[in-house]
Amino acid sequence: MTYYGVMMDNIFDIRYRMVRLAQEQGISEAARVYATTRKTVRTWKYRYEQEGLSGLNDRSRAPKRIPHKIPEELENRIVELRRRLP
């Protein structure tokens, strides 16, 4: 598929090409070619510079911790009681 004159195979390749374009021609030009914001281009460029190719992979959006979640042993106890006492 072609999008704004760029072949798009998968999201990783798109991000890599966008970062390379930003390095060569600037952030504004990359944002224009890829129809995104300069902030998005800066984000991927920064991640690439800090982490290399692995920085271009998707990251989990799940919270790192859940403050209201009950402890695992209590959860297991509740599940066991529900199994025994329907």
Side-chain angles (χ1 to χ4, degrees):
M1 171 168 64
T2 303
Y3 188 68
Y4 285 91
V6 178
M7 281 299 291
M8 299 215 168
D9 302 328
N10 65 43
I11 195 70
F12 180 86
D13 291 339
I14 294 165
R15 290 173 184 161
Y16 179 71
R17 286 189 231 135
M18 181 172 58
V19 166
R20 296 295 306 191
L21 183 63
Q23 291 173 331
E24 294 168 6
Q25 296 184 18
I27 290 172
S28 293
E29 179 64 14
R32 187 188 63 73
V33 169
Y34 287 91
T36 190
T37 65
R38 291 178 303 186
K39 181 177 180 183
T40 298
V41 176
R42 273 194 296 271
T43 296
W44 291 115
K45 185 175 180 276
Y46 177 78
R47 287 183 186 178
Y48 177 74
E49 290 168 351
Q50 296 300 309
E51 304 171 29
L53 290 175
S54 64
L56 300 178
N57 290 320
D58 284 338
R59 293 184 178 175
S60 173
R61 292 181 173 213
K64 304 225 182 319
R65 63 181 206 82
I66 305 171
H68 62 275
K69 186 173 181 176
I70 63 173
E72 188 174 352
E73 58 264 354
L74 180 57
E75 180 181 354
N76 292 337
R77 178 79 175 125
I78 291 169
V79 169
E80 180 59 34
L81 286 171
R82 284 184 178 169
R83 254 190 246 127
R84 279 196 278 147
L85 307 168

